[in-house]
Amino acid sequence: MREAFHEQLESIFSDLAEICREVETSVRQATRALLDGDAGVAEEVIAADAKIDAARQRVDDAAFSLLSLQQPVAGDLRVVVSALRMVSELERMGDLSVHVAKIARLRVPDVAVPEEARPTIARMGEVAEDMVRRVGAVIVEKDVDAAVELDRDDEEMDQLRRGSFTQLLGDDWRYGVEAAVDIALLGRYYERIADHAVSVANRVVFVVTGEFPAAGAASAG
Amino acid sequence: MREAFHEQLESIFSDLAEICREVETSVRQATRALLDGDAGVAEEVIAADAKIDAARQRVDDAAFSLLSLQQPVAGDLRVVVSALRMVSELERMGDLSVHVAKIARLRVPDVAVPEEARPTIARMGEVAEDMVRRVGAVIVEKDVDAAVELDRDDEEMDQLRRGSFTQLLGDDWRYGVEAAVDIALLGRYYERIADHAVSVANRVVFVVTGEFPAAGAASAG
């Protein structure tokens, strides 16, 4: 019974890692669509979201089946519920990539991000993508140290967001209200992707150690 | 055993309803802080969030204890997991009220919302508060019809948000970039509160009927 439980649990964690790879692709493509003003790539991100939603449904079903058939208690129960929470967060990260892609699509044939804001937004996209990639590795390897390191990238994301606000609220901002609003919302979407990445990583720490790395870390659901 | 299960479950749903009332207060106060530029009220919303977080933790613990001790399967299992998801969404709605309150606080002694945008933002606040209030009633009364009606308010929220974009991107917008960015983010926060309200209501429908009212409705986690 217990061996079957752990096999099924491993299979759920493999699915989580696979969804994480799909989210990583969505984040990368959404940033590309945004910086290149490429409607085709934006459409790919939007279309790919159905696949992430379906994969999430499969993980939900597998976790329910595991709970029903194996009736785990204590730590094992918390691990399965953590998996359910991780998959909702990964799905949400996919949705946020779609929001980025939709801003890209809305401005085609123009590019939503003006030249001056490009380095910051490009870096936000890189940091987000890198965080998602590393969360995938954390899930596969159950690497607690790597999970804790993600907090540092989240700090960079916060700095980038503050920097972009300083830029678009400065007196020399000459791209108007529309570009400013786009950038403020993009900053918010990337920040949320990063928040969820940290939260998923913290859940892995919880799965491995039975404790969250920091107070309140689990609340970013 | 089964009676104990249903008693404990009812107690969890009472706690969810109580959290919903606290979120309703936070949404109302956050809107008040925003429209009056009242830093004191904004601070109250920010401080009250710790109470919502603690209440969420208590529901989490109660749900885990129920899963461990009663080992529900099939429908009963799904109801408990739904409760876990509902409480995370309610907590998130509290966080979003805090985001609104923080924008209010940031602009004190000014008011973040310029006169022209006031009716739209005031209405967003009302719709959000009303949706949260009604979700509370849906949780208490397990009222499926009332749950389905929430979708209509969500439609009004989407229209309000589109209307506010039209306004702030119009040629006659004369309040500058900062106010526009504030309003775009506020619109996003109220829209997310409404999305979560619909999602929580849909989860109640699922708890009562075993089915979600519409495809994909469960994915707004």
Side-chain angles (χ1 to χ4, degrees):
Chain A
M1 194 75 163
R2 212 171 146 75
E3 201 177 317
F5 174 80
H6 284 285
E7 263 173 34
Q8 286 169 48
L9 195 62
E10 269 315 302
S11 150
I12 287 173
F13 274 82
S14 300
D15 288 343
L16 289 174
E18 174 60 31
I19 296 173
C20 208
R21 279 189 289 275
E22 283 168 17
V23 172
E24 185 193 334
T25 304
S26 287
V27 173
R28 181 171 55 250
Q29 300 265 75
T31 306
R32 207 185 112 201
L34 187 66
L35 297 176
D36 297 351
D38 189 326
V41 176
E43 292 296 347
E44 282 175 34
V45 175
I46 295 162
D49 196 48
K51 227 179 113 188
I52 294 175
D53 292 349
R56 178 239 159 104
Q57 192 55 56
R58 284 196 301 276
V59 169
D60 267 11
D61 292 344
F64 272 106
S65 149
L66 192 56
L67 287 172
S68 276
L69 298 175
Q70 305 281 350
Q71 308 250 320
V73 292
D76 286 347
L77 174 62
R78 288 186 180 265
V79 170
V80 181
V81 173
S82 293
L84 280 168
R85 287 176 163 164
M86 287 161 76
V87 77
S88 325
E89 296 204 60
L90 290 169
E91 189 207 2
R92 188 80 206 117
M93 291 155 83
D95 292 343
L96 290 158
S97 308
V98 167
H99 288 321
V100 171
K102 283 186 175 170
I103 289 185
R105 187 176 65 174
L106 199 61
R107 301 295 168 230
V108 169
D110 294 329
V111 173
V113 181
E115 208 50 43
E116 205 180 309
R118 202 180 161 90
T120 305
I121 295 288
R123 183 66 194 145
M124 279 184 180
E126 273 171 17
V127 171
E129 182 190 334
D130 189 51
M131 288 175 81
V132 178
R133 187 183 54 69
R134 283 163 56 208
V135 167
V138 165
I139 293 171
V140 171
E141 293 156 26
K142 308 272 197 314
D143 185 339
V144 170
D145 295 335
V148 174
E149 266 173 36
L150 275 169
D151 257 340
R152 242 175 287 160
D153 300 74
D154 197 36
E155 185 47 43
E156 184 181 353
M157 186 64 91
D158 289 345
Q159 279 170 12
L160 287 165
R161 195 166 177 229
R162 279 193 295 273
S164 82
F165 269 99
T166 306
Q167 195 173 44
L168 63 88
L169 298 179
D171 289 336
D172 52 349
W173 179 258
R174 55 198 166 84
Y175 304 100
V177 167
E178 185 176 83
V181 165
D182 281 348
I183 286 168
L185 290 172
L186 288 166
R188 173 75 186 156
Y189 299 145
Y190 282 120
E191 182 193 41
R192 289 298 297 153
I193 292 172
D195 288 345
H196 283 294
V198 169
S199 173
V200 171
N202 286 342
R203 292 189 198 286
V204 174
V205 174
F206 175 78
V207 163
V208 175
T209 66
E211 277 175 29
F212 282 107
S219 69
Chain B
M1 194 74 164
R2 211 170 147 77
E3 201 178 318
F5 174 80
H6 284 285
E7 264 173 33
Q8 286 170 49
L9 195 61
E10 270 315 302
S11 148
I12 288 173
F13 274 83
S14 300
D15 289 343
L16 289 174
E18 174 60 33
I19 296 173
C20 208
R21 279 189 290 274
E22 283 168 16
V23 172
E24 185 193 333
T25 303
S26 287
V27 173
R28 180 173 53 250
Q29 300 265 75
T31 306
R32 207 184 112 201
L34 188 65
L35 297 177
D36 297 351
D38 189 326
V41 176
E43 291 298 346
E44 282 175 34
V45 174
I46 295 163
D49 197 47
K51 227 180 114 188
I52 294 176
D53 292 351
R56 178 238 160 105
Q57 191 55 56
R58 284 196 301 274
V59 169
D60 267 12
D61 292 344
F64 272 106
S65 151
L66 193 56
L67 287 172
S68 275
L69 298 176
Q70 305 280 351
Q71 307 250 321
V73 293
D76 286 347
L77 173 63
R78 287 185 182 265
V79 170
V80 182
V81 173
S82 293
L84 280 167
R85 287 177 165 162
M86 286 161 76
V87 77
S88 341
E89 296 203 62
L90 291 169
E91 189 207 3
R92 188 80 205 117
M93 290 155 83
D95 293 343
L96 290 159
S97 308
V98 168
H99 288 322
V100 171
K102 284 186 174 169
I103 288 185
R105 186 177 66 175
L106 199 61
R107 302 295 169 229
V108 169
D110 294 329
V111 173
V113 181
E115 208 48 43
E116 203 180 312
R118 202 179 162 90
T120 306
I121 295 289
R123 182 68 194 144
M124 280 184 179
E126 274 171 15
V127 172
E129 183 190 334
D130 189 51
M131 288 176 81
V132 178
R133 187 184 53 71
R134 283 162 57 209
V135 167
V138 164
I139 293 171
V140 171
E141 293 157 25
K142 309 271 197 316
D143 185 339
V144 169
D145 294 336
V148 173
E149 267 173 35
L150 275 168
D151 256 339
R152 242 175 287 160
D153 301 74
D154 197 36
E155 185 48 43
E156 183 181 353
M157 185 65 92
D158 289 345
Q159 278 169 13
L160 287 165
R161 194 168 178 227
R162 280 193 296 273
S164 82
F165 269 99
T166 305
Q167 193 174 45
L168 63 89
L169 299 178
D171 289 336
D172 51 348
W173 179 258
R174 56 201 166 81
Y175 304 99
V177 167
E178 185 176 82
V181 164
D182 281 347
I183 286 168
L185 290 173
L186 288 166
R188 173 76 186 153
Y189 300 145
Y190 282 119
E191 182 193 40
R192 289 299 296 154
I193 292 171
D195 288 346
H196 282 294
V198 169
S199 173
V200 171
N202 286 341
R203 293 190 197 286
V204 174
V205 174
F206 176 77
V207 162
V208 176
T209 66
E211 276 175 31
F212 281 106
S219 68

